[in-house]
Amino acid sequence: MRASLLALAIGAFGIGTTEFVIVGLLPEVADDLSVSIPSAGMLVTGYALGVVVGAPLMTAAGARLPRKTMLVVLMAIFIAGNLLCALAGDYTALMGGRLIAALTHGAFFGIGSVVAADLVAPDRRASAIALMFTGLTLANVLGVPLGTFLGQEFGWRSTFWAVTGIGIVGLLGLIALVPAQPAPERGALRGELAVFRKPQVWLALTTTVLGFGGVFASFTYLAPMMTERAGFSDSAVAWLLVLFGVGLCVGNVLGGRAADRALMPSLYLILGGLCLVLVIFTFTSRAAVPAAITLAAFGAIGFATVPPLQARVMQQAAGAPALASAANIAAFNLGNALGAWLGGLAVAHGLGWTSPTWIGAALAAAGLGTAALSGRLDRASRRNRDPRPHPHPHPHPHPQPHLHTERPTAPGAGYGTHSIVEQKSR
């Protein structure tokens, strides 16, 4: 089981590195390709939009394939996209390569989350998802800083050559370590699409868009904010990303554990904390040491959102794990695109390098609001299902058979419900 999760984490490491490393290379890419930094920032937005489009399409395209086979195909396409980035001679080619790589992102994490959850007991599913996402956090601790350093020293294309190599290692790991997965039943896709009729699923997806959009509004413009405002040198950016990545690892683990214990209270606390940290960051970014400390806290609270947000969607989309999980990865990246776009818009209009962080705080607050609304609907639904007891404990002389529905008790647990008929004896 651990080896299988390791293989998924290796794939997540490669995907996370290619997604985030461009943030540390924006000045180099902008200078080499003769575009502005906000234009280079569109490489973040473009990738995110590619994930939004690719997540449902790729998941639907592979609906009849065994999950392991689909993961292998997705990693092969990811390798091809990064190879195109490494060979890109202009901005258009680079954007095209990132879009190809992005098409695989949502489906990989969506299907991988389901595979990871199926490998463990129901009460450990959020932690298993967090373990797979550890590859994503390690990408920020190791992949992004090393990729940034490599790009600064040998040109940004060398970074994408390295990511291509990581993708090949990930592909071999999936083939060797992930157990065979059965093909989904015929008609499963139609059943999974039906879950999107539920308002709670859309509320969960909206919470992901807004909450994680708050993270990326600030993160996308982290390098210029830390150099232009906090006073760090360009060479310090890689080490700052290491610090940020350490925070991500801590937050990811703690977020998974908290979600396993109490999903919604954890989600409220984490989104509220994210809003607060981003507000603080706008003030501490004026000096190097306070900015670095807040950066680590931002990384921790920012990625603590991932396990509960993912578990919440999987919980509400019982019976449709793969497509709903992929849709939530798309929601993460729609948030990335929204945050990066709004942050770039603010910078382009001369509002300063801290303006994206203010925007991030506002988005996180909006995410907290949608989470609170979703929780309120949950409580109302439970009250409707559990009316007050009848004044007479036995209104019928002969108790009748009744249908009892056993609901999942853990985040993401029991992707379907199990109905049992209990025949009471007289």
Side-chain angles (χ1 to χ4, degrees):
M1 184 269 289
R2 291 282 178 179
S4 301
L5 292 176
L6 174 62
L8 293 170
I10 292 171
F13 178 81
I15 292 174
T17 298
T18 203
E19 178 182 19
F20 297 128
V21 76
I22 196 69
V23 171
L25 297 175
L26 285 186
E28 286 73 23
V29 171
D31 182 64
D32 183 58
L33 300 181
S34 301
V35 297
S36 67
I37 285 183
S39 294
M42 289 298 293
L43 293 166
V44 177
T45 301
Y47 184 96
L49 291 176
V51 177
V52 173
V53 173
L57 289 182
M58 298 297 284
T59 303
R64 296 186 179 181
L65 292 178
R67 286 171 182 157
K68 176 178 177 176
T69 302
M70 190 58 186
L71 289 173
V72 169
V73 170
L74 292 169
M75 188 54 61
I77 297 172
F78 170 80
I79 292 168
N82 280 281
L83 183 61
L84 179 57
C85 289
L87 297 170
D90 56 29
Y91 181 86
T92 302
L94 178 58
M95 180 67 83
R98 284 185 63 77
L99 286 172
I100 291 173
L103 290 175
T104 69
H105 184 124
F108 183 90
F109 279 105
I111 295 171
S113 292
V114 176
V115 172
D118 283 346
L119 293 171
V120 299
D123 63 345
R124 298 291 297 164
R125 282 174 171 167
S127 293
I129 293 169
L131 186 56
M132 186 194 76
F133 275 87
T134 297
L136 197 59
T137 60
L138 286 177
N140 285 275
V141 177
L142 299 174
V144 172
L146 289 176
T148 299
F149 174 79
L150 191 65
Q152 290 174 341
E153 293 295 319
F154 302 103
W156 59 266
R157 291 177 183 83
S158 64
T159 300
F160 288 100
W161 281 111
V163 173
T164 301
I166 294 170
I168 293 172
V169 173
L171 177 64
L172 296 176
L174 291 172
I175 293 172
L177 300 177
V178 174
Q181 300 286 317
E185 297 178 2
R186 293 182 63 87
L189 179 61
R190 182 180 301 174
E192 295 213 357
L193 287 171
V195 82
F196 291 99
R197 297 172 185 168
K198 300 180 179 179
Q200 280 284 42
V201 171
W202 287 105
L203 273 176
L205 293 172
T206 302
T207 301
T208 297
V209 171
L210 296 172
F212 213 65
V215 175
F216 251 71
S218 179
F219 178 68
T220 300
Y221 298 96
L222 187 63
M225 185 174 73
M226 298 302 275
T227 55
E228 299 294 330
R229 183 171 172 82
F232 286 99
S233 65
D234 290 341
S235 61
V237 171
W239 296 107
L240 290 169
L241 290 173
V242 170
L243 184 63
F244 182 80
V246 169
L248 295 188
C249 284
V250 173
N252 183 57
V253 172
L254 294 180
R257 291 177 179 174
D260 277 331
R261 291 190 181 96
L263 179 55
M264 292 308 290
S266 298
L267 191 55
Y268 301 149
L269 182 63
I270 291 168
L271 288 173
L274 175 61
C275 180
L276 179 61
V277 166
L278 286 170
V279 170
I280 293 172
F281 203 10
T282 62
F283 297 100
T284 58
S285 62
R286 297 172 182 173
V289 173
I293 294 172
T294 312
L295 178 63
F298 172 39
I301 197 71
F303 246 68
T305 63
V306 174
L309 287 170
Q310 187 75 355
R312 176 63 174 172
V313 169
M314 293 172 71
Q315 180 192 63
Q316 292 301 314
L323 189 57
S325 184
N328 199 46
I329 301 301
F332 276 115
N333 283 270
L334 182 57
N336 296 356
L338 177 66
W341 176 69
L342 290 174
L345 198 63
V347 170
H349 282 78
L351 298 181
W353 292 115
T354 60
S355 57
T357 303
W358 281 112
I359 290 172
L363 288 172
L368 177 59
T370 58
L373 175 59
S374 181
R376 182 176 180 180
L377 292 177
D378 266 354
R379 292 189 295 273
S381 178
R382 284 195 295 269
R383 286 195 298 269
N384 291 335
R385 290 197 308 267
D386 186 23
R388 292 182 178 182
H390 195 279
H392 302 289
H394 300 291
H396 302 288
H398 300 287
Q400 299 296 315
H402 70 278
L403 190 65
H404 172 70
T405 301
E406 180 184 343
R407 297 187 63 82
T409 58
Y415 297 127
T417 57
H418 307 280
S419 298
I420 57 175
V421 176
E422 298 178 345
Q423 177 70 51
K424 293 184 178 180
S425 61
R426 294 177 60 179

